[in-house]
Amino acid sequence: MREPHKVQDDSPERSILARLIMLDEPVEADPLEELHGLATTAGTEVVDELVQRRQTADHSTYLGKGKVEELRLMVERHEADMIIFDNDLSPAQVRNLEKATGVKVLDRTELILDIFAAGARTHESRLAVELAQLEYSLPRLKRMWTHLSRQAMGVGMRGPGEKQLEVDRRIAQKRIHDLKAELAQVEKRRQRQVAARKEAPTVSLVGYTNAGKSTLMNALTEAGVLAQDKLFATLDTRTRRWQLPGWGTVLLSDTVGFIRDLPHSLVASFKSTLEETRQAELLLHVADASSPTVFEQITAVYEVLKELGIEEKDTLLVLNKIDAIENPAVLNRVLDRYPNAIPVSARSEKGLQCLIESVGEALGREFLDIEVDVDVADGRLLSYLSAKGEVLSRDFGDHITTVHVRMPVGAMGPIHKSAKAIRPIPREDGQPIVRDPKDVDAIGPEATDAESSDQDPNSPACNDSTSDVA
C-alpha cells in the first residue's frame, strides 16, 4: 500500500514578540520596532506582540505570571511556533517559558546569532559565528539533549560511566578552543595583509545596521556591493578603491553593522573581520538620521567602538537618509546635539560633495605631505620612510637623497631627529599641506607663518547641507 504523499509546509514560522521594560528604562515610541525587523530578517512572520513594564524581572519566567498566561493564550489563538524576547534570558527562564507556553522561546542574542549564521558567506565569518554560537550554547546544553542515560562501559571498565551531557560539553569546549586558535591565526594574517597595504590610506565605514553604509559605499566608489533594506545585510568586510579629489586613491572599507546590545561573543569573534576598522586612518560613522532612535543608535555604535578599543580614532559622523526626513526640524534636532555632523543622502547623493571635502580635510589632519633630505648613508631613515609613509618620489644626489613622502603625523618623531631638512609640499594655492597647528613642531619653524589657526580642525568642510532637506 502506497504511503500518502506528504506536502511540505514552506510557510514561515509564526512568531510572537515580547519585551520586558524596567521602570527606569527609557522607552521608544515603538519599543518592538527593532525586534520586529530582526524577526523578519530571520524569516519569521510576526503575528502578535506583548510588552510589560516591571520594577524587576521575575527570576523564573522573566515576565510576570499574568503576562506568561497571556503569552500562552496568544500562542493558542495565533497557532504560533515561537516566542522571541527582546531581552537576554537565562537557560532556566527559557525552559520555564517553553514549558508554560508549549512553544520554543528565543532571546535577543540567540536571534541575532541565527541571523549571523544565515548571512555568513566567507570562511572567516563562518568561523566567527560558530564560535559565538558555541560560547552561547555551552551553558544551555541541558535543553539540547534528552538522552542523558549513562553510557555503557566495556569489560574491565564497569562503573557509573559518563553522562552524555558531559561528553557533549567536553566536545563543545574542545571545538571552542580549536576555533579560537584558528581565528587567532586568521587575525594575524589579516593584520599582516592590512599593514602591507602602503599604496593608499584607509577610510572605514562603521555604523548601526541598516544605516545605509553599503549604499554610501556604492555612491562614493560605484562598487556595486550588495545594499538591501534589511538588518545585517553585510557581515564580511569589503574594501574598494575610492578616487578622492586632492588625494588620489583611498581605500574605503564597509564592515558589519552594529546594533544595540550586540552580543559580546560576537564582537570578540569578529575582531579579525573588523581589522580594517582597527587599522583605518579615518572612520566614517554612518547614522540613520530619519530613525526616531538615532541618538540611541549613535550611542550603541560608540559603545562597540569602545569595546574594540578604537573609540579615540579620528571619526566623522555622517547623518544619512536625509531624503527620508519630511520635517527639517527632525534633522535640526540631531544637528543641535552633533553640530559637526555631515548630513547626506546616499540614495539621492545630496551632501556627498561636503562629505568628500570633509574626508580630505580629516585625512590632511592625519597626514603630512613633505620633502625630506636624507643622508645617502642613512639607510635606516630611508627604510623608515618607506615602511611608515607613502613615498611619492626620490631625487638622488651625491650626498643627499630628497624623498617626497606622505607621512602620518604620529610617525614624524624619528624623521625630525635624523633628517637633514624637512620641507612641507605646497598645495596648488601655494599654501603648505599642514592641516593642524600642532603639526608645525614636528616639521620645523618654517611652516609657522603659512598655517592658519583660525579654522576648527574638527569642523566639517561645509555647513550648508541642511538646505538639502528642505
Side-chain angles (χ1 to χ4, degrees), residues 20-36:
L20 176 65
I21 303 174
M22 305 301 178
L23 293 181
D24 57 348
E25 184 180 349
V27 184
E28 306 89 343
D30 184 357
L32 288 174
E33 179 183 8
E34 184 174 88
L35 185 65
H36 192 287

Side-chain angles (χ1 to χ4, degrees), residues 9 42 46 57 80 88 111 169 197 203 206 284 293 338 421 438 459:
D9 186 8
V46 178
D88 286 331
L111 178 63
R169 182 177 289 115
R197 292 175 181 167
V203 177
V206 299
L284 297 185
T293 60
Y338 303 102
K438 65 183 180 182
S459 63

Side-chain angles (χ1 to χ4, degrees), residues 15 32 45 59 70 79 106 112 115 125 157 188 242 267 270 292 329 352 357 361 366 389 395 433 437:
S15 63
L32 288 174
E45 178 188 356
H59 70 279
E70 188 176 340
E79 297 182 351
L106 277 69
I112 293 175
I115 294 172
S125 61
M157 301 182 65
K188 290 180 181 178
W242 177 21
V267 176
F270 272 81
L352 289 191
E357 294 174 8
E361 290 292 327
E366 292 294 321
D395 185 12
I433 303 180

Side-chain angles (χ1 to χ4, degrees), residues 226-328:
L226 174 67
Q228 293 180 325
D229 187 16
K230 58 182 285 189
L231 303 181
F232 299 117
T234 302
L235 292 185
D236 303 297
T237 300
R238 296 165 302 187
T239 304
R240 300 293 185 270
R241 295 180 182 275
W242 177 21
Q243 296 302 319
L244 183 65
W247 275 90
T249 300
V250 171
L251 298 180
L252 183 65
S253 62
D254 181 20
T255 61
V256 60
F258 303 146
I259 197 169
R260 172 179 58 87
D261 299 329
L262 188 67
H264 295 287
S265 57
L266 266 180
V267 176
S269 300
F270 272 81
K271 276 189 176 179
S272 61
T273 304
L274 294 168
E275 187 61 30
E276 298 277 358
T277 301
R278 296 161 62 89
Q279 297 285 349
E281 283 80 23
L282 176 67
L283 301 183
L284 297 185
H285 177 178
V286 184
D288 180 0
S290 66
S291 172
T293 60
V294 59
F295 294 129
E296 291 79 6
Q297 292 181 8
I298 292 174
T299 301
V301 171
Y302 279 123
E303 288 298 322
V304 177
L305 294 178
K306 184 177 181 180
E307 191 168 349
L308 291 170
I310 55 176
E311 74 277 10
E312 299 297 331
K313 190 177 289 291
D314 196 8
T315 305
L316 295 179
L317 179 59
V318 182
L319 301 178
N320 192 24
K321 302 186 180 181
I322 60 173
D323 57 323
I325 301 177
E326 297 181 358
N327 184 1

Side-chain angles (χ1 to χ4, degrees), residues 210-231:
N210 206 30
K213 299 186 300 299
S214 297
T215 303
L216 181 60
M217 185 178 198
N218 288 335
L220 293 174
T221 67
E222 299 181 357
V225 299
L226 174 67
Q228 293 180 325
D229 187 16
K230 58 182 285 189
L231 303 181

Side-chain angles (χ1 to χ4, degrees), residues 323-344:
D323 57 323
I325 301 177
E326 297 181 358
N327 184 1
V330 174
L331 178 60
N332 291 333
R333 182 173 66 96
V334 185
L335 289 173
D336 286 341
R337 180 177 296 189
Y338 303 102
N340 294 330
I342 307 166
V344 304

Side-chain angles (χ1 to χ4, degrees), residues 199 247 369-370 389-394 403-406 425:
E199 72 271 21
W247 275 90
D369 209 356
I370 56 176
E390 179 187 359
V391 175
L392 303 178
S393 67
R394 293 182 179 90
V403 183
H404 178 190
V405 62
R406 182 171 291 154
I425 300 297

